[in-house]
Amino acid sequence: MTDRLAEHAPPDMAALREPRDRSAHNTLVLVVFTAITNLADGVIKMALPLIATTLTASPAAVAAVSMTLTLPWLLTALHVGVLVDRFDRRKLLWLANSMRLLTLVALLFAQFSGAITLSLLLVGGAVLGIAEVIALTSAMALTPTAVGPRWRERANAWITGAETVCNEFCGPFVGGLLVAAGSAFALGATAAGYVLGTVVLVFLVGRFRVPRSVDRAPESVSRQIGSGLRYLWRQRLLRLMALVLTVLCSCWGAWLALMPLMATTLLRLDAREYGVLLSALGIGGLVGALTVTTVNRLIGRRWALFADLVGTFAMVATPVLTTELWILAGGAFLGGMGGTLWAVNSRTIAQYLVAPEMMGRYSAVARLFSWGAMPVGAGVVGLLAEFFGMRAAFIVFAVAVLITVPAFLRTVTPQVLADVEEAKRRQLAEAAS
């Protein structure tokens, strides 16, 4: 009888205090690291193409420099996922920052010596792109180890907010200012940011390598990639989330690719008005990060996820229906807010469901679906707009979002999410024992 009561007794507060203290400390470290490195990433995404414009007048060549920063997600993400599941994840973050730093030092030296070329920018962009894949995959896989299950939703909210604000909002703005002050200054300041991020990681508490049996030889890379993809496909909830995310991110890629032309021609927005429209995305993302816990409590995780379908639909449908700036900005705001609500909740769900030894490969596949879909959406919307017009192109993407709604409602049910909460309770019990 005593054993049975002890089994159901509340967790010892002393047992919970240490994980809570460590979780709060590690959350702060991860948020600071994310903010610094994503600000630097945002600066680089603005700076390298601008430097390229001083070397060539070819639009294709300048676009190629931008592409080198994102193409590694399509080419290397799955292999990086295996790497993250094999090695210490904090050391991989250090490796990624070292790659970034060495690349920027080389570019800075070339800039000072007058030896910088388009080829060097292309190579440098590719290395920086690969480093970003390693860094973001490692950081996502590391979070469940660094932060206890009770505090992960809050940690994911702050980390996602830091990513959104620094990479998409502040980074390009700061990058433009730094490049205006001088290309060498922009590269040097970015390198300093990566150095600071490397130092911040020292303060993480814990061990971040997945333990493995010494008796079992490691699987080959191709076999591990295959097992990661099969794992995702067999998990109905995670599979549905990945497929829906592919559609949503393709809509984002389409909106970001076509809106500059549509804003300046069909909608006749000036530079200030277009700035308001873009700012609405970042503000929506920040509001989503700040309110996700409250939104989940008020309407539940299911409808918080569904809010991204509503927000993305609003973002791509409003340009079809109106030329009124504030309605367009409202659609962009809802898209940004919904995107953050989805990102926080999907990460939290995955951290409760995915085994630690699979987290690197899952994180890589999740990013592959999201980041990989954006250039696909940009390409498709360009072709549609070329042959059928810009409004017709956005109608196609709005319809694509609507098609995902029945599958989402059938799969993301209250019972399925109750199973997620049960997994959370099991992890809490293990952390307290």
Side-chain angles (χ1 to χ4, degrees):
M1 180 69 174
T2 305
D3 291 341
R4 201 172 302 153
L5 288 173
E7 222 175 86
H8 298 282
D12 181 66
M13 293 309 296
L16 285 176
R17 192 175 301 116
E18 183 181 353
R20 180 183 63 189
D21 294 343
R22 194 189 77 167
S23 294
H25 172 87
N26 282 346
T27 296
L28 178 61
V29 172
L30 288 172
V31 169
V32 172
F33 172 80
T34 300
I36 293 170
T37 54
N38 275 270
L39 181 62
D41 288 343
V43 170
I44 282 296
K45 288 173 183 176
M46 174 65 72
L48 285 194
L50 287 176
I51 294 172
T53 62
T54 66
L55 302 173
T56 178
S58 168
V62 174
V65 172
S66 296
M67 187 179 292
T68 59
L69 295 167
T70 55
L71 192 59
W73 282 103
L74 287 173
L75 302 180
T76 67
L78 296 178
H79 292 81
V80 168
V82 173
L83 188 74
V84 170
D85 283 341
R86 286 189 175 188
F87 297 99
D88 187 297
R89 290 156 180 175
R90 175 164 53 180
K91 290 180 179 177
L92 288 174
L93 286 172
W94 276 326
L95 171 65
N97 271 14
S98 298
M99 291 169 62
R100 290 160 158 168
L101 185 58
L102 290 173
T103 302
L104 288 172
V105 168
L107 292 174
L108 193 58
F109 178 79
Q111 184 77 6
F112 273 125
S113 62
I116 195 158
T117 63
L118 186 63
S119 298
L120 189 59
L121 280 182
L122 291 169
V123 173
V127 175
L128 290 170
I130 293 169
E132 184 181 50
V133 177
I134 296 172
L136 292 182
T137 306
S138 300
M140 187 172 173
L142 176 147
T143 302
T145 310
V147 180
R150 188 184 297 273
W151 299 277
R152 280 184 201 153
E153 185 174 291
R154 181 174 299 177
N156 286 326
W158 284 103
I159 291 169
T160 304
E163 282 183 10
T164 301
V165 173
C166 293
N167 200 322
E168 299 173 14
F169 193 55
C170 297
F173 175 73
V174 173
L177 295 178
L178 291 174
V179 172
S183 299
F185 187 71
L187 293 174
T190 307
Y194 288 132
V195 171
L196 183 58
T198 301
V199 173
V200 167
L201 285 176
V202 174
F203 297 97
L204 270 181
V205 177
R207 300 179 65 183
F208 304 105
R209 180 171 184 170
V210 178
R212 298 203 168 277
S213 171
V214 294
D215 300 328
R216 190 176 62 184
E219 292 180 309
S220 67
V221 171
S222 59
R223 187 178 291 273
Q224 283 195 288
I225 289 174
S227 63
L229 291 171
R230 285 191 298 274
Y231 177 87
L232 174 64
W233 192 252
R234 289 168 183 164
Q235 302 289 325
R236 188 180 178 213
L237 175 60
L238 298 179
R239 181 179 72 232
L240 181 279
M241 287 168 54
L243 293 175
V244 170
L245 186 61
T246 302
V247 174
L248 299 180
C249 285
S250 69
C251 292
W252 273 71
W255 193 92
L256 291 169
L258 192 56
M259 186 51 67
L261 180 61
M262 190 172 190
T264 55
T265 57
L266 193 61
L267 303 178
R268 301 190 181 282
L269 302 181
D270 59 27
R272 181 189 64 81
E273 291 171 329
Y274 184 58
V276 169
L277 188 58
L278 287 182
S279 297
L281 276 177
I283 294 170
L286 179 60
V287 171
L290 293 175
T291 62
V292 62
T293 301
T294 302
V295 170
N296 284 349
R297 186 171 64 250
L298 292 176
I299 65 175
R301 202 185 296 275
R302 185 192 193 203
W303 297 114
L305 286 165
F306 188 77
D308 192 22
L309 277 68
V310 175
T312 303
F313 176 80
M315 186 175 72
V316 295
T318 48
V320 179
L321 303 173
T322 183
T323 59
E324 178 61 45
L325 173 61
W326 297 109
I327 298 178
L328 296 171
F333 174 88
L334 292 175
M337 183 175 179
T340 301
L341 292 175
W342 179 284
V344 173
N345 280 296
S346 63
R347 289 181 188 184
T348 305
I349 289 171
Q351 289 163 6
Y352 293 143
L353 297 181
V354 180
E357 63 272 14
M358 189 65 69
M359 198 65 204
R361 279 164 285 175
Y362 171 79
S363 302
V365 173
R367 293 277 186 175
L368 177 65
F369 275 105
S370 56
W371 288 62
M374 292 183 73
V376 173
V380 170
V381 81
L383 291 174
L384 289 172
E386 184 74 25
F387 290 103
F388 303 105
M390 290 182 279
R391 282 202 164 105
F394 276 131
I395 289 174
V396 171
F397 283 89
V399 171
V401 176
L402 293 177
I403 291 172
T404 66
V405 170
F408 177 92
L409 295 177
R410 282 198 307 269
T411 303
V412 187
T413 62
Q415 180 55 53
V416 168
L417 293 179
D419 293 341
V420 174
E421 291 303 312
E422 179 59 33
K424 175 182 177 180
R425 283 191 288 272
R426 286 197 300 269
Q427 291 188 18
L428 285 170
E430 291 171 6
S433 62

